[in-house]
Amino acid sequence: MPPLHRSGRSARAGARPLARGATVLAAALALLSPLAGVAPAAPAAAQETAVADAGVRVNTQAALGRLSGTARGVNAAIWDSHMNDPEVAGLMKAADVGAMRYPGGSYADIYHWKTHTAPGGYVAPGTGFDAFMGTVRATGAQPILIANYGSGTPEEAADWVRYANVTKDYDAKYWEIGNEIYGNGHYGSGWEHDEHEDKSPREYARQVRAYAAAMKAVDPTVKIGAVLTTPGQWPDGVVAGGDAGDWNHTVLSEVTDVIDFVSVHWYAGGSDTTAHDAMDRLAGLPGELREVRSQLDRYAGADSPRIGIALTEINTNTGGARLTARPNGLFAADAMMTALENGVFTVDWWDTHNGAGQITTVDGETDYGDMGMLSSGTCTGDVCEPAPNTPFHPYYGMKMTSELGSAGDTMVATESSAQDVSAHAVLRRDGRLSVLLVNKNPDAARTVDLEYAGFTPSGAAPVVSRYARGDSDITEVTGEAASASQVTVPPYALLTVTLEPRPGTGPGASAAGTPGTPRLEAVTDTTARLSWEGAAGAARYLVQERDGAHTRLVGETTTGTSVTLRNLPPGSTHTVNVLAADASGRLSAPSLPLTFTTGTPADATCAVTYHRDTSWGNGFVATVTVRNLSDTPITGWTVDWDWPADRQSVSSGWNATFHQTGRHVRVTAPEGAGPLAPDGGSTASFGFVGANDGPNPDPTAFRLNGTVCSRG
């Protein structure tokens, strides 16, 4: 049989350190607005309330984003002989799959669509582009196509666009330029085929511009995607010899005016036998995606919101064990919703079919070590998978997310008090609220108290969907211990609760429409001016800041569609939504969110330069230089900053004394250091070796002896 392809992963196993990150929710802010108060859950008739061991808060006034039609996606590969089996379209349609990526990871850079060949690789019969599009159309999905960068040309890609959208009228919108091109050997490890003599990020950027021009000349409506490294994962941050910057910063500095989205991949990793480690690593994904958006903000400026983020490959690990069993089903649901809530428009599982790998036993079941969602019917030794297209647990994890909502519905903030219970929620356009609970504990059920802000459930019994041990599919359950205020989630299970709003409550009862997404018009060190498109029927607008699943009122206006937020801390990051109130005070649905960071004072009495000298994915060396701009000398200085992400740290340093508590770093002058001369007459410089187990954004604000400095 042909060798199984894992998007080039087996070729680079161990080539990069896997990032581990953790996002810890900040302390909850008190709700300052009476309109944002917590709605009591309606009591359940004839049901005693059990003692809960977890609590989940849902805030429907804190929007995280809207589900797109391409939200749930899968990868398809030309070496997969079952790619276009008739059963595939039916299964994917049942899971509301809206995106199918082709022709298969690293194979994209050896694949020539006209001849349906991949020199050096295996091409299964019946996997040509037209056959693939038949499955896409039967599913009701949108293709995400990878143009051959490694051995192709802009002209070949343009011809593919012409065939797809002019000749065949397939209306294929999304086109990536290459797969993981940063893996072409430029950084010392090569798994991605690339025949360009120059394999640098600058050349890739130049070629992206050429591909975009050629492809959009054929069809101006196509959306072009550039490949980025995932922040915190190798080779993110690495600067190769002769390059001025790392991959992402080099590419984005050259292409933001011609691309429509960027593509990143995320594999959690983990080494334990139950995949708990991989599920724990999900806590780092929001920070990594936020860093992608920050990079887009830096280089695209006001045009950044136009450029989407696609997570075009995701799984627990890159081949081996713990892939088809129940824990990876829990991971699939949790990971897909986590990614969608943090700004991506599509999450594409790797992959539809893959093939048997390392055989293990997980949760009492055989794990076939197969990265596919559906069985390919292959064997490892004398252990064979079930019949082709039999769904594995990750398929049901993805399918459970479709119980939450569909395109156009709004994801809203949740917060869980229990580490082993994850929560996600969607406010549907018809006013219903769906809450997904993931119990990652294999041994114990979890009784969860549900609390709502901005939503009042009716007295009707909720609709409950479950995927637990013993279930062969997503199962609607009745008579279970479930009410609007409390549910019990079986061990190692997924549970979705869908609630009706109390009549006369919620956004549907308001005469005001939903405001537009706020825009950042101007920002200083302590202020931010926001504006938004108005909503019909609005008598006033409220700007609310989100912290976890809590919101507080930070701005309000009755006279227009803009507001200036004041007294913000320098270098601080804020996420806000806008709501409209009608003449009776009833609130609309929230706008989509805006996240922004304040700057540092331009006229400060000190200046700090922070320079990352080198980086290797999970570690770096940085130099900090301090100047005193006041008119008096400073003796005995201290410099303070806070890391923007968890698991950033100082490992060792020189020319100063370093101390870190949590995210906070304090650096003190070395013994015998001379004074800092006034008016910038002298500088103090120190350096350190840092570590980052996840994204590594620069600190946003430095303080010299307690005074906020400008960035030099």
Side-chain angles (χ1 to χ4, degrees):
M1 70 179 271
L4 294 172
H5 173 68
R6 292 177 172 84
S7 192
R9 315 231 172 272
S10 57
R12 62 183 169 112
R16 59 178 177 175
L18 288 169
R20 180 201 295 259
T23 300
V24 180
L25 290 170
L29 296 172
L31 287 171
L32 300 185
S33 170
L35 292 171
V38 177
Q47 179 176 305
E48 292 186 10
T49 301
V51 176
D53 46 24
V56 165
R57 176 186 174 86
V58 180
N59 190 341
T60 63
Q61 293 179 348
L64 305 179
R66 291 200 179 91
L67 291 170
S68 71
T70 55
R72 284 168 284 270
V74 296
N75 279 266
I78 56 173
W79 40 260
D80 172 17
S81 60
H82 295 288
M83 181 212 296
N84 298 307
D85 287 356
E87 301 95 324
V88 172
L91 286 164
M92 295 305 162
K93 189 170 186 176
D96 197 24
V97 167
M100 304 184 82
R101 186 171 179 253
Y102 177 92
S106 296
Y107 260 50
D109 288 304
I110 60 174
Y111 178 64
H112 300 283
W113 72 273
K114 284 183 181 178
T115 56
H116 190 49
T117 58
Y122 172 77
V123 178
T127 60
F129 177 56
D130 287 319
F132 165 73
M133 285 304 303
T135 299
V136 170
R137 287 189 155 183
T139 300
Q142 173 71 225
I144 297 178
L145 303 173
I146 317 170
N148 184 342
Y149 176 87
S151 58
T153 64
E155 292 71 28
E156 181 181 24
D159 286 344
W160 196 0
V161 172
R162 181 176 293 105
Y163 179 79
N165 291 353
V166 178
T167 303
K168 302 295 289 188
D169 196 26
Y170 287 146
D171 191 26
K173 291 184 174 66
Y174 299 101
W175 299 76
E176 295 178 62
I177 310 304
N179 185 52
E180 296 172 349
I181 299 301
Y182 47 79
N184 60 9
H186 186 66
Y187 297 105
S189 181
W191 63 87
E192 199 76 18
H193 188 80
D194 185 1
E195 296 178 0
H196 294 88
E197 183 176 352
D198 183 352
K199 295 179 170 54
S200 69
R202 186 174 183 85
E203 175 63 13
Y204 175 71
R206 190 184 73 81
Q207 291 285 348
V208 165
R209 297 190 69 86
Y211 273 74
M215 297 164 77
K216 289 194 174 188
V218 175
D219 181 355
T221 69
V222 297
K223 297 183 181 297
I224 303 297
V227 173
L228 297 185
T229 63
T230 303
Q233 299 192 22
W234 191 92
D236 174 59
V238 177
V239 179
D243 289 348
D246 65 9
W247 182 274
N248 285 8
H249 291 86
T250 301
V251 171
L252 289 177
S253 68
E254 300 286 342
V255 304
T256 55
D257 61 321
V258 299
I259 63 171
D260 303 283
F261 68 98
V262 295
S263 172
V264 294
H265 295 169
W266 198 81
Y267 289 85
S271 57
D272 68 301
T273 59
T274 62
H276 281 157
D277 199 18
M279 287 190 279
D280 290 344
R281 289 170 185 256
L282 269 178
L285 181 58
E288 295 178 39
L289 292 173
R290 176 60 205 157
E291 180 62 11
V292 175
R293 177 53 63 189
S294 294
Q295 292 172 2
L296 288 169
D297 291 345
R298 174 178 176 180
Y299 291 104
D303 200 34
S304 176
R306 180 188 61 81
I307 302 174
I309 302 173
L311 186 53
T312 52
E313 290 185 23
I314 190 170
N315 208 315
T316 48
N317 64 53
T318 57
R322 306 173 307 281
L323 288 163
T324 65
R326 185 170 301 278
N328 209 17
L330 304 182
F331 173 87
D334 208 3
M336 285 192 158
M337 290 310 304
T338 298
L340 291 167
E341 290 163 351
N342 285 277
V344 306
F345 68 87
T346 186
V347 185
D348 307 327
W349 189 261
W350 183 267
D351 55 350
T352 306
H353 306 92
N354 205 82
Q358 181 181 348
I359 306 297
T360 57
T361 299
V362 179
D363 193 39
E365 298 179 300
T366 299
D367 188 301
Y368 297 97
D370 188 325
M371 298 179 77
M373 281 196 159
L374 309 178
S375 171
S376 61
T378 56
C379 307
T380 294
D382 59 357
V383 178
C384 294
E385 295 181 344
N389 298 311
T390 299
F392 292 132
H393 289 291
Y395 168 80
Y396 292 114
M398 177 179 66
K399 186 177 181 182
M400 181 58 96
T401 69
S402 69
E403 296 288 313
L404 276 172
S406 57
D409 293 340
T410 301
M411 296 170 285
V412 296
T414 62
E415 196 167 61
S416 172
S417 67
Q419 188 174 3
D420 59 4
V421 176
S422 295
H424 307 277
V426 171
L427 182 63
R428 301 185 183 225
R429 287 165 294 171
D430 62 9
R432 291 179 298 157
L433 176 67
S434 293
V435 183
L436 168 64
L437 301 171
V438 184
N439 182 2
K440 295 175 279 189
N441 190 311
D443 303 315
R446 285 286 180 256
T447 299
V448 181
D449 279 344
L450 296 172
E451 174 190 359
Y452 309 96
F455 180 83
T456 305
S458 74
V463 175
V464 180
S465 299
R466 183 192 67 205
Y467 186 65
R469 291 177 179 132
D471 293 332
S472 59
D473 202 339
I474 308 299
T475 304
E476 186 170 319
V477 293
T478 57
E480 301 288 327
S483 70
S485 59
Q486 190 180 88
V487 296
T488 297
V489 190
Y492 252 19
L494 302 168
L495 198 76
T496 296
V497 180
T498 298
L499 305 158
E500 297 283 346
R502 181 177 294 173
T505 68
S510 176
T514 303
T517 306
R519 300 179 296 270
L520 183 65
E521 300 290 351
V523 64
T524 69
D525 55 325
T526 60
T527 67
R529 181 170 178 80
L530 313 177
S531 67
W532 56 89
E533 289 188 10
R540 62 181 175 131
Y541 296 98
L542 297 86
V543 179
Q544 296 199 131
E545 180 171 5
R546 178 172 65 86
D547 183 9
H550 293 257
T551 51
R552 64 188 183 101
L553 185 67
V554 293
E556 186 175 2
T557 180
T558 59
T559 59
T561 55
S562 65
V563 70
T564 298
L565 308 183
R566 304 185 186 278
N567 301 316
L568 305 174
S572 58
T573 299
H574 307 266
T575 298
V576 296
N577 299 95
V578 180
L579 296 95
D582 66 13
S584 299
R586 293 170 297 199
L587 294 178
S588 70
S591 73
L592 294 182
L594 167 72
T595 298
F596 66 90
T597 300
T598 57
T600 54
D603 57 351
T605 57
C606 55
V608 170
T609 299
Y610 178 90
H611 183 263
R612 202 182 309 172
D613 305 323
T614 187
S615 179
W616 51 91
N618 64 346
F620 61 102
V621 175
T623 299
V624 180
T625 302
V626 184
R627 290 184 296 149
N628 169 25
L629 303 180
S630 72
D631 56 6
T632 58
I634 294 177
T635 302
W637 51 263
T638 63
V639 175
D640 293 83
W641 72 82
D642 292 293
W643 292 117
D646 290 316
R647 303 202 182 192
Q648 289 178 286
S649 62
V650 175
S651 301
S652 61
W654 50 92
N655 294 342
T657 300
F658 297 81
H659 180 72
Q660 181 167 340
T661 303
R663 288 189 181 187
H664 185 75
V665 178
R666 168 159 287 189
V667 184
T668 57
E671 187 176 348
L676 280 171
D679 301 319
S682 65
T683 62
S685 184
F686 55 86
F688 62 90
V689 177
N692 59 291
D693 200 357
N696 189 28
D698 291 351
T700 55
F702 294 84
R703 287 172 169 80
L704 175 63
N705 289 359
T707 298
V708 179
C709 302
S710 61
R711 293 296 297 271

